[in-house]
Amino acid sequence: MNLFIDAFAWIFDPANWVAGAQSPLPIQDRLAEHLLYTFVAVLIAALIALPLGFYIGHTGKGRQFVISFTGGMRALPTLGVLFFLTMVLGYSMVSTTANFLGTMIALVLLAIPSILAGAYSGLESVDRQTIDSARASGMTELQILVKVEIPLSLPLIVGGLRSGVLQVIATVVIASYVGLGGLGRIIASGIGLNDYNRILGGAILITALALLVDGVFAVIQRLTATPGVGGPADTGRSAVRRQAQRQPATVGTPNQERE
Amino acid sequence: MNWLISNFDLVVGLTVNHIRLSVVPIIVGFVVAVPLARIAVTGRTARAVIITSTSLLYTIPSLPLFVILPAIIGTKVLSDINLIVALSIYAVAIMVRAAADAFTSVPVDVKQASLAMGYSRWQQFWRVEFPLAGPVLLAGMRVVSVSTIALVSVGVLIGSQNLGYLFTNGKQRNILEEVATGIVASLLIALVFDLILVLLGRLLLPWNRKNGSRSAQADSVRLPITVGDVG
């Protein structure tokens, strides 16, 4: 356990938080970069994936395509995709721009499947009778989507965002390891300096960040559940869903989350 | 194709090692997760504890986990064992969730019928629950296999020799073909493993061929990341 005590001592060493410290310090700058990359990538991915997911979930069209797309993305090695994109872009622009842009494209691509799956499976989980009665009471398709389907499926939509965010946080670690800013730089420089306190300190910081963000999203998922309708934890609800014609769909893509 | 032809031996060697590193976590994932999941479905508390703890482990990004493990299990930082243990943890995390869903999917009346016919709990598990959970277990294993193989390449950052080497080396030397070869080889391994699993499923679960569309079962596997304590 001594190793952990030393690593925590490294994390809480004020010298590592002083502005202007030697790269990859100070810690707060790397943390800010990490969060910024994650935020931008997830925002772009959500702008693409949410409308598409709502369309697929509402109409039921293109579902098979999304399932195979998500499955295919899962098999891609993130590290390879990251390098491939930055190298291809590097042929036509300065390397720093190519690294940044290539990484961003990779992050967005990796975040899209989870967010997409969350959106369409969320919409599919809404009770068909509820939608039919909304239609019967004169709502337009757009009203059904905005006033019935999206509010009822918010926990699953947020769930998709949650796995997308975690996956991007994990991928930024790899991206920063290979040159971009972010917390992964701390591990990289620790390995370079053969300084295990720094390696472990960086790893603990990233883990804490991931768990914290996961916890925040867990709370949001709870808060967005419609009272009475119940979230996924509601047994009565899941019994209804099990009898529904359409299957609940895969949310999240494990390998991408990891990297 | 020039690069590939002149470095074919390297690619084959790395591919073999990549497979070697993937197989153990995939098997460990199954062997550890199935009993854990069976315990998890016995009650609300067991389920909450087991599913929540494995999904928390799953939340830890891979590179940090690779370098934290030496401090816990006492290995060297650059040892392959870190990679294998970390990938096994992820495999268990995915599989526990999938296997819990698989056991939940076994109809209660079938289980009751088997008890009424005089099966012991042990017989009931091996002859009724386990086979009936098979299709969903298989779907979970396919997810585990694909994600493990894709993840192995990150191990190159902690010195493991696998297809990830083609990514770092290709980037350093600016050979796009080398990086592309690594991606394609990794995808091919994943594809072959998936085919093997599907064939195993055909052999071991012959009753599954008629009624089940495989994609529908794959759908029912939900992944631990969205689970948390929410569902």
Side-chain angles (χ1 to χ4, degrees), chain A residues 1 3-4 63-64 67 71-72 74-81 83-84 86-88 91 99 120 156 159-160 162-163 166 169-170 173-174 177-178 184 187 191 196 199-200 202-204 206-207 210-211 214 217-218 221-222 231-233 235 241-242 247-255 257-259, chain B residues 44 55-65 67-72 77-78 90 94 104-105 143-144 146-154 156-158 164 167-171 173-177 179-180 182-183 186-187 190 215-223 225-231:
Chain A
M1 283 328 258
L3 293 168
F4 281 101
R63 193 168 169 277
Q64 204 51 48
I67 292 169
R74 196 180 280 155
L76 281 175
T78 312
L79 190 66
V81 175
F83 285 177
F84 188 85
T86 52
M87 284 170 76
V88 168
Y91 294 136
N99 277 341
Y120 88 77
L156 281 175
R162 179 181 177 182
S163 50
L166 284 168
I169 287 180
V173 177
I174 311 280
Y177 188 97
V178 294
I187 297 182
I191 290 182
Y196 192 65
I199 299 175
L200 193 56
I204 292 172
I206 297 166
T207 305
L211 291 176
D214 192 44
F217 271 94
Q221 264 186 302
R222 271 209 176 186
T235 44
R241 202 193 302 165
R242 193 153 294 133
Q247 301 267 342
T250 307
V251 178
T253 44
N255 75 304
E257 269 135 16
R258 302 286 25 93
E259 305 191 13
Chain B
R44 260 177 181 273
S55 66
L56 276 182
L57 282 173
Y58 191 77
T59 309
I60 305 174
S62 56
L63 185 62
L65 186 58
V67 297
I68 287 174
L69 278 173
I72 300 172
V77 178
L78 298 179
Y90 292 140
I94 298 172
T104 313
S105 75
V143 176
V144 168
V146 163
S147 74
T148 303
I149 291 159
L151 257 174
V152 168
S153 52
V154 180
V156 73
L157 300 181
I158 53 160
F167 303 149
T168 48
N169 189 51
K171 168 92 172 158
R173 294 167 59 196
N174 203 21
I175 307 174
L176 191 63
E177 193 188 335
V179 178
I183 297 178
S186 179
L187 288 176
S215 59
Q217 280 142 10
D219 283 1
S220 64
V221 177
R222 281 188 285 152
L223 294 158
I225 206 74
T226 50
V227 182
D229 46 359
V230 193

Side-chain angles (χ1 to χ4, degrees), chain B:
Chain B
M1 294 299 276
N2 286 338
W3 183 88
L4 178 59
I5 291 164
S6 47
N7 293 277
F8 196 71
D9 288 348
L10 172 73
V11 176
V12 170
L14 292 173
T15 305
V16 170
N17 213 25
H18 200 100
I19 294 173
R20 196 175 59 81
L21 290 167
S22 317
V23 167
V24 178
I26 294 173
I27 294 172
V28 170
F30 185 78
V31 173
V32 175
V34 166
L36 270 182
R38 184 59 191 79
I39 296 168
V41 296
T42 53
R44 260 177 181 273
T45 326
R47 190 185 174 92
V49 170
I50 291 173
I51 304 277
T52 309
S53 53
T54 48
S55 66
L56 276 182
L57 282 173
Y58 191 77
T59 309
I60 305 174
S62 56
L63 185 62
L65 186 58
F66 294 163
V67 297
I68 287 174
L69 278 173
I72 300 172
I73 57 178
T75 42
K76 292 208 171 79
V77 178
L78 298 179
S79 162
D80 268 355
I81 299 191
N82 301 321
L83 183 62
I84 292 177
V85 172
L87 293 176
S88 302
I89 291 175
Y90 292 140
V92 170
I94 298 172
M95 200 54 203
V96 160
R97 172 73 205 194
D101 282 352
F103 289 126
T104 313
S105 75
V106 178
V108 179
D109 42 3
V110 176
K111 283 193 278 186
Q112 283 172 338
S114 68
L115 282 184
M117 286 174 66
Y119 277 27
S120 68
R121 290 273 173 194
W122 187 252
Q123 286 174 318
Q124 185 198 29
F125 176 77
W126 286 110
R127 297 197 188 167
V128 179
E129 282 188 76
F130 193 62
L132 286 182
V136 184
L137 289 175
L138 176 68
M141 283 307 287
R142 294 177 68 190
V143 176
V144 168
S145 146
V146 163
S147 74
T148 303
I149 291 159
L151 257 174
V152 168
S153 52
V154 180
V156 73
L157 300 181
I158 53 160
S160 168
Q161 290 294 310
N162 56 59
L163 288 170
Y165 174 80
L166 300 180
F167 303 149
T168 48
N169 189 51
K171 168 92 172 158
Q172 269 164 17
R173 294 167 59 196
N174 203 21
I175 307 174
L176 191 63
E177 193 188 335
E178 187 175 352
V179 178
T181 305
I183 297 178
V184 172
S186 179
L187 288 176
L188 279 179
I189 299 177
L191 189 68
V192 170
F193 270 51
D194 198 52
L195 286 177
I196 293 174
L197 283 172
V198 170
L199 281 177
L200 271 178
R202 291 257 164 112
L203 286 175
L204 300 174
L205 312 163
W207 60 89
N208 187 33
R209 230 176 302 165
K210 284 173 199 155
N211 57 359
S213 79
R214 273 182 286 109
S215 59
Q217 280 142 10
D219 283 1
S220 64
V221 177
R222 281 188 285 152
L223 294 158
I225 206 74
T226 50
V227 182
D229 46 359
V230 193

